[in-house]
Amino acid sequence: EIGVAVQRTADGLFITARLPLALGPAVEEALLKAVPLYFVYQAEVHEPRWYWADKRIASTTRTLRLAYQPLTRRWRLSVATGPTTANAVYALHQNFDALPDALSAIGRVARWRVADGARLDDDARYTVDFRFRLDLSLLPRPLQIGVANQPDWNIDLQRRLRTTAQPETAEPGPAAAPEADDAAAPAR
């Protein structure tokens, strides 16, 4: 079951998503031939305006590169934040023994910050345009020619999410005791 939710706190807007991901036989065959696939999460935050087009507050992208390593027979998942290009800088790498485990990791996002709290007004409601897709433009050129019309390669999910007017507040925890500052105490 597909689940996408947006949470608004004083720190910003966060998306949590759980997407069941299953690949068709043609896509799995390409992966087994060591062709990397690029999955892209995109989110745009808009403030509705009655007098003009909605104002874009923030836009962010997360790219996940899935590749099969034939020598080790393992799946490597790499995560990059920023523009979607073949030369993106990947900051996090994770290896998996089985394809279903790698697909499960691709389909989960927890507390992904899509807008900073400083850019949000307390009394405004926002909409978030969320999109998850397989980026076919980053495939090798020979594969790009015939895959556009094949249903196995069409992985695209779009949702429009709405936020509340007031940010959620965290449950107040136990009050922390102030720490003693030895440097400020007068010497006797």
Side-chain angles (χ1 to χ4, degrees), residues 7-11 111 167-176:
Q7 179 186 21
R8 182 176 179 183
T9 66
D11 295 333
R111 287 192 53 84
E168 295 177 15
T169 57
E171 291 291 324

Side-chain angles (χ1 to χ4, degrees), residues 126-137:
Y126 296 94
T127 58
V128 179
D129 290 332
F130 172 80
R131 185 176 184 196
F132 173 77
R133 64 186 170 90
L134 174 61
D135 193 348
L136 301 177
S137 69

Side-chain angles (χ1 to χ4, degrees), residues 13-165:
L13 288 177
F14 298 90
I15 289 183
T16 300
R18 183 177 210 87
L19 312 172
L21 188 58
L23 302 179
V27 179
E28 281 190 35
E29 182 182 344
L31 274 171
L32 291 172
K33 292 182 179 179
V35 174
L37 296 182
Y38 297 86
F39 296 91
V40 180
Y41 283 97
Q42 293 175 315
E44 285 191 357
V45 180
H46 298 276
E47 181 179 0
R49 296 189 288 193
W50 64 270
Y51 59 89
W52 197 254
D54 293 349
K55 179 181 178 184
R56 186 168 72 175
I57 302 296
S59 177
T60 186
T61 303
R62 179 182 283 184
T63 304
L64 294 98
R65 180 183 185 267
L66 178 63
Y68 180 65
Q69 309 292 322
L71 292 176
T72 60
R73 294 185 179 157
R74 298 190 79 191
W75 300 88
R76 184 171 179 97
L77 180 62
S78 304
V79 179
T81 307
T84 305
T85 63
N87 300 327
V89 177
Y90 293 92
L92 176 69
H93 305 280
Q94 192 172 6
N95 293 318
F96 296 93
D97 291 327
L99 179 59
D101 296 337
L103 294 177
S104 177
I106 290 171
R108 281 191 319 260
V109 172
R111 287 192 53 84
W112 175 36
R113 183 192 306 238
V114 296
D116 191 32
R119 301 189 70 182
L120 305 175
D121 293 332
D122 285 340
D123 57 348
R125 293 179 187 262
Y126 296 94
T127 58
V128 179
D129 290 332
F130 172 80
R131 185 176 184 196
F132 173 77
R133 64 186 170 90
L134 174 61
D135 193 348
L136 301 177
S137 69
L138 296 176
L139 290 174
R141 288 278 187 223
L143 273 177
Q144 289 182 15
I145 295 170
V147 299
N149 295 329
Q150 295 180 10
D152 282 355
W153 291 90
N154 187 13
I155 299 173
D156 195 345
L157 171 77
Q158 296 181 20
R159 293 280 193 265
R160 176 161 277 195
L161 309 167
R162 301 194 190 292
T163 66
T164 59

